[in-house]
Each structure stands twice: as structure tokens, then as C-alpha cells.
């Protein structure tokens, strides 16, 4: 069975201040790769549709491709071809193809009551980055700022984790639409309730939230997105095997909650259940 | 072997006056299908990347999809999915996938001296349409104008011809970059000379050129494009079989010249050889 996933990077809505042409190429690849990872599919190759403003020079186009090629080397896929057009915006569209050789993919639909909800990494880099890059908030320590920018300009795709966890997970979704929204999409698709009791949050986001007196949980749930961590539901009898398998490929699984019968997503704080709403950044909403 | 082809329709450069959203969807599909046809590959499915301006309404997006779906029904391929983005231009990117089950595709590289050069239809509709729609020329007869507009708004892809001719052709290219340029691309890729002695031209283009005192051959060679006819080189001993096979699927092959040793493309008029230059409408040229 083969799997195809298209994603488009559009400068007028997706370009962050400071992002280079090479970052754009890299990030476009990661957007498609992350979905492949969530489905447990090995990416094989892609085709690129480029829409580019007349005033951009050849060097700019080549640097976008340099970023794509860097991702292709890192994640072992081909760039098979593409199409170049003049446009009034910068658009990099990537259609990625992968093969599920055993015919098995992980969807959003299989989460069952009793399953553990887990994620592949810490949250908070992009929510802080957006505050800093788009809303004028400040981070004093230069090394913290650099760490944040590295994560948003050059995110990584959880391919190794995805290829291993397809053997253990009952459902999955990538978190690129934002943590709150992605959890709700998983809950809806599987028709189950999800209860979250902790979220792994980067030290920088905690420090930032505390300095600006923000609720750090709300910050990472609702104001992030494009973090490319994967959210899994894993049957409880599979948990130890899944956890160890991810460790063996160099990754980590963070349990964040559990699946129950019912509907909706909730945050459990001191025995109080608080609704996590399907909000987040989305085009046309 | 599978074949992947990406093509993008961009409103700021490709939208003709009077074209509807449904036309845009249809034409985007035809752009990819025509390349599949030239290669002799059955299209199986596609993924669509849509970039759309904020001010467009849902109905407009649905109508683009309506055009795509109409093409999918007509040409028997699936629309597997896609991605929707906000952008400062209207871009419809289509990545089409097809399978060459016998592992055989027709490329631009196989034309050999002695081969016949042939095309799948008449030329001239788009060159006249561009004059009328973009440069203010007039066509008095309404039924002629309608015929022209039908051809540019709803072009057809030569899939049936392509699937049959893969068994006979030594090389092929679709003519969407314009007849003069496409012939030169074929000549370059195959490293042969091509001599054209006649070109099938629609009655309307002949009448139009005569009324405005234009050279009709120059008009169709250099000022057309996006006609989606396929140019073939066919070994002379295959000609009768190829011609009959195309007739049987409801199409027609028009011989327009022959392949010789050498380089370049020439038009033979009354024993005078006139160079056909690699000119035509191209992005970034």
C-alpha cells in the first residue's frame, strides 16, 4: 500500500521573521515527513511545486532546494521532480510518497479506553517563539533564544519513532496543528474521551511563562503548533515494549494521559477536570 | 514502475479572462494528465495543494474541486487528498501518479532518423484565444468564438491516444509549452534534426490569420501553447499500425514531418528550409 501526503508552505502566512530560504525548504519537507511518521510509513520520495515571486533570484530558489536536499539526505528520501511557476506569493508544495510494505498504517481512529496517551517530545518551543517573533516578547539569554529559533526554523520529523511505534500504537496523530487541537482530532476520530494529566514542557517555556506570568499549560496547549511531535495512543499491555523500542532508536516516549470511554479532551488538575478545547491556529478558521 | 508528475496553475500568470473556478480545476488536472498521456502512462490518482486568497469564499473552492472531480470521472483517476492554505495568489498544484505496469514509458529521447513526426490534433485554438482574450483582437462570429473558448477553458488530455501509442512511438512530448518550443525540446533530447512540412491548423485560426493578415504558421508555432496535443516520433515501419490503432480508440494521427540526422528544427516551405526557433511562452524566460 502506498501513502501520499501533500503539504504547502506559504510565505504570507507561514514565514517567520528570520527564516532563510534553506529553512523554508527544510521545513516544507518536515511538514510532509511528520505525517508519514505519524502513520508509520517510510517516506520514499516527493515532488515539489514551487510558486515564486518574479523578484526572487535564482539563488533564492536554489537555497530552498538546498534545504529540501538536506532533509532528503537526513531522512533518506528522493526528490523526484517538480514544477516551477511564477506567483504573487512564495509557495512550496511538497507531495510525499511512502510505501507501507506490510500494508499496515496507523490512523487516528484506533484509540481505545485504557490506552495510554504519549508524545515523542517536549512542547513549548514554538509557542514561545511565536510570542517572541510575532508579538514582541523578549528573551534575555541569547543561548535560550538560539535554542528556540533552532527548533522553529529547523524542526525534526519523528520518522524513527514512527517506524517503530507502528508496531505498538492503536492510533496516532502529529501535533502540527497544535497540541489542544490535535488531541481533540484524535479523540473525535477514535470516538473516545482523552484525559491529560501532565505535559512535558521545555525548561525555556516554563521560565518564559513564569517571567511573564502566563499559564504555561495554556501556552503550550493553545498557542503552539508546528512542533512535529507525534501523539500516540498505546494499549497498556504494549506500553513497556513501546517505550523500550523507542529508546532503542534514540527517542523517548512521554506518557501524558489516558483514554476513557466518552467524548472530549480534559486536563486533570488536582482532581478537577478542565475541558481542553479544539482551538489552535488553523487556516480559514 | 510508477510515474509522478507535478503541475501548478497560478491565477496571476495562467488565469484567462472569463475562466471559471470549475475551469481552473479541470485545466489543472489536464496539465498533469497530458504529461502522463505523452509518457503512455495510465493516471491513477492525484493529490492537490491549494493556495487560495483570504477573500475567496467556500463556494469558489468547491467549484475548483468540482472541475477536478469532473476530470477525475472523465479520465478515471482518484483524488486522494491534498492540502489547503491561505495565500496571496490562487495556486492549484496537482501531483499525479500513474503506473506503467509493463515498466515501459515513452520519453523524449528515442527519436531516430527516418521516423515520422506526428501530432494528435489540430493547432491554433489557443494562439487565437490569446490574441482575442489578452490583446483585444475580435472574432465576429459568436459560434467560432465559443468554439475557441471551449478549447482553452476545457482542453482535453490525449490519454487514449497515449496509452495506445506507447506501443509504437520511439519518442514523445506534450505540446503544452508551445509547438515550436516542444519540437525543439524533442529534437534536443533525441539529438536529431526535425523537418516539419505541414501543420494541421484549425479552420478558425486560418480565417483569423487571413483577416488580420498574419502568418498563420508563425501564429500557431510561436504564439500558442497549452494545447495539450502530443507530438510523436514513430518509426516508419510502425506508421500504419500506429495510425490505425489511434483511429480505433477514436483519435487521429496527423503526420507533420520527419526526423533526420543533425540538429535543430526546420520548416520546409517550397524546398526552402526555415529554422523553427525554441521560442514560446515560458516562466522565467
Amino acid at each position: 500500500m502506498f501513502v501520499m501526503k501533500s503539504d504547502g508552505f506559504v510565505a504570507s502566512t507561514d514565514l517567520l521573521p528570520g527564516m532563510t530560504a534553506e529553512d523554508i525548504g527544510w521545513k516544507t519537507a518536515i511538514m510532509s515527513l511528520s505525517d508519514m511518521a505519524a502513520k508509520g510509513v517510510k517516506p520514499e520520495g516527493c515532488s515539489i511545486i514551487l510558486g515564486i515571486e518574479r523578484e526572487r533570484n535564482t539563488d533564492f530558489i536554489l537555497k530552498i532546494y538546498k534545504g529540501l536536499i538536506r532533509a532528503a539526505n537526513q531522512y533518506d528520501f528522493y526528490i523526484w521532480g517538480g514544477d516551477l511557476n511564477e506567483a504573487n506569493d512564495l509557495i512550496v508544495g511538497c507531495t510525499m510518497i511512502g510505501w507501507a510494505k506490510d500494508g499496515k498504517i496507523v490512523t487516528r481512529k484506533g484509540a481505545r479506553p485504557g490506552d495510554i496517551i504519549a508524545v515523542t517530545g517536549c512542547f513549548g518551543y514554538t509557542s514561545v517563539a511565536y510570542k517572541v517573533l510575532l508579538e514582541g516578547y523578549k528573551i534575555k539569554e541569547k543561548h535560550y533564544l538560539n535554542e528556540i529559533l533552532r527548533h522553529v526554523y529547523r524542526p525534526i520529523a519523528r520518522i524513527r519513532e514512527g517506524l517503530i511505534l507502528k508496531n505498538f500504537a492503536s492510533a496516532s496523530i502529529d501535533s502540527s496543528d497544535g497540541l489542544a487541537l490535535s488531541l481533540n482530532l484524535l479523540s473525535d476520530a477514535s470516538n473516545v474521551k482523552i484525559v491529560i494529566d501532565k505535559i512535558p514542557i521545555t525548561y525555556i517555556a516554563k521560565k518564559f511563562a513564569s517571567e511573564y506570568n502566563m499559564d504555561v499549560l495554556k501556552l503550550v496547549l493553545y498557542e503552539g503548533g508546528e512542533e512535529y511531535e507525534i501523539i500516540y495512543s498505546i494499549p497498556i499491555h504494549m506500553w513497556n515494549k513501546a517505550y523500550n523500542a523507542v529508546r532503542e532508536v534514540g527517542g523517548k516516549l512521554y506518557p501524558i494521559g489516558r483514554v476513557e470511554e466518552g467524548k472530549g479532551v480534559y486536563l486533570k488538575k488536582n482532581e478537577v477536570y478542565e475541558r481542553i478545547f479544539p482551538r489552535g491556529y488553523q487556516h480559514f478558521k
Side-chain angles (χ1 to χ4, degrees), chain A:
Chain A
M1 180 168 58
F2 94 104
V3 176
M4 190 171 189
K5 185 67 182 73
S6 290
D7 263 300
F9 181 98
V10 181
S12 60
T13 58
D14 300 333
L15 187 68
L16 289 168
M19 230 178 161
T20 66
E22 207 178 324
D23 293 335
I24 293 170
W26 171 274
K27 194 167 175 188
T28 304
I30 297 298
M31 287 157 69
S32 299
L33 290 169
S34 180
D35 268 310
M36 292 295 198
K39 289 181 176 59
V41 175
K42 163 90 183 69
E44 296 288 339
C46 70
S47 181
I48 303 296
I49 295 175
L50 214 58
I52 235 170
E53 302 103 317
R54 179 176 283 272
E55 62 272 19
R56 303 274 186 189
N57 58 26
T58 315
D59 189 51
F60 186 83
I61 301 175
L62 292 177
K63 279 191 175 138
I64 291 175
Y65 264 89
K66 197 172 165 195
L68 285 163
I69 290 164
R70 191 182 286 272
N73 289 333
Q74 174 95 17
Y75 292 100
D76 190 26
F77 65 88
Y78 293 94
I79 298 171
W80 282 317
D83 186 39
L84 179 63
N85 302 279
E86 191 185 309
N88 285 338
D89 202 338
L90 169 66
I91 302 195
V92 192
C94 174
T95 297
M96 186 75 68
I97 299 268
W99 307 101
K101 275 162 198 163
D102 51 7
K104 217 176 84 177
I105 63 166
V106 185
T107 71
R108 302 173 177 188
K109 289 185 180 172
R112 292 286 161 266
D115 289 357
I116 292 175
I117 297 291
V119 293
T120 52
C122 290
F123 287 81
Y125 284 119
T126 59
S127 11
V128 175
Y130 296 159
K131 291 280 173 205
V132 171
L133 293 174
L134 304 175
E135 297 178 27
Y137 288 78
K138 300 277 181 237
I139 291 183
K140 274 172 242 135
E141 300 86 347
K142 200 162 160 54
H143 62 285
Y144 283 154
L145 181 63
N146 288 341
E147 185 178 337
I148 288 173
L149 295 180
R150 204 165 56 240
H151 275 82
V152 295
Y153 294 156
R154 295 288 172 109
I156 63 165
R158 298 295 189 183
I159 296 287
R160 284 178 305 183
E161 289 84 343
L163 292 179
I164 267 296
L165 284 170
K166 71 178 287 193
N167 302 309
F168 306 104
S170 55
S172 68
I173 186 168
D174 105 320
S175 66
S176 58
D177 288 332
L179 187 53
L181 189 58
S182 303
L183 285 167
N184 275 279
L185 290 171
L186 186 65
S187 150
D188 283 354
S190 293
N191 201 22
V192 292
K193 185 199 281 184
I194 292 176
V195 179
I196 303 300
D197 49 25
K198 58 180 173 241
I199 297 170
I201 296 175
T202 58
Y203 172 73
I204 295 175
K206 286 179 190 164
K207 189 164 177 300
F208 178 86
S210 139
E211 274 172 17
Y212 281 105
N213 206 18
M214 290 172 180
D215 180 337
V216 71
L217 280 169
K218 287 216 164 59
L219 183 69
V220 301
L221 277 166
Y222 296 114
E223 307 209 30
E226 306 192 15
E227 294 192 84
Y228 307 107
E229 301 297 348
I230 305 176
I231 305 168
Y232 284 99
S233 71
I234 295 174
I236 197 147
H237 68 278
M238 289 287 203
W239 175 257
N240 283 340
K241 284 183 192 167
Y243 185 87
N244 290 329
V246 171
R247 277 195 65 183
E248 274 170 30
V249 297
K252 190 161 161 43
L253 259 189
Y254 300 82
I256 65 168
R258 62 184 189 281
V259 180
E260 296 185 1
E261 282 191 35
K263 280 186 191 305
V265 181
Y266 294 85
L267 182 67
K268 191 180 165 189
K269 279 204 295 198
N270 312 320
E271 300 307 312
V272 178
Y273 291 78
E274 196 177 286
R275 182 81 196 272
I276 296 176
F277 294 99
R279 284 199 286 111
Y281 175 72
Q282 254 198 318
H283 295 300
F284 294 103
K285 297 243 159 153

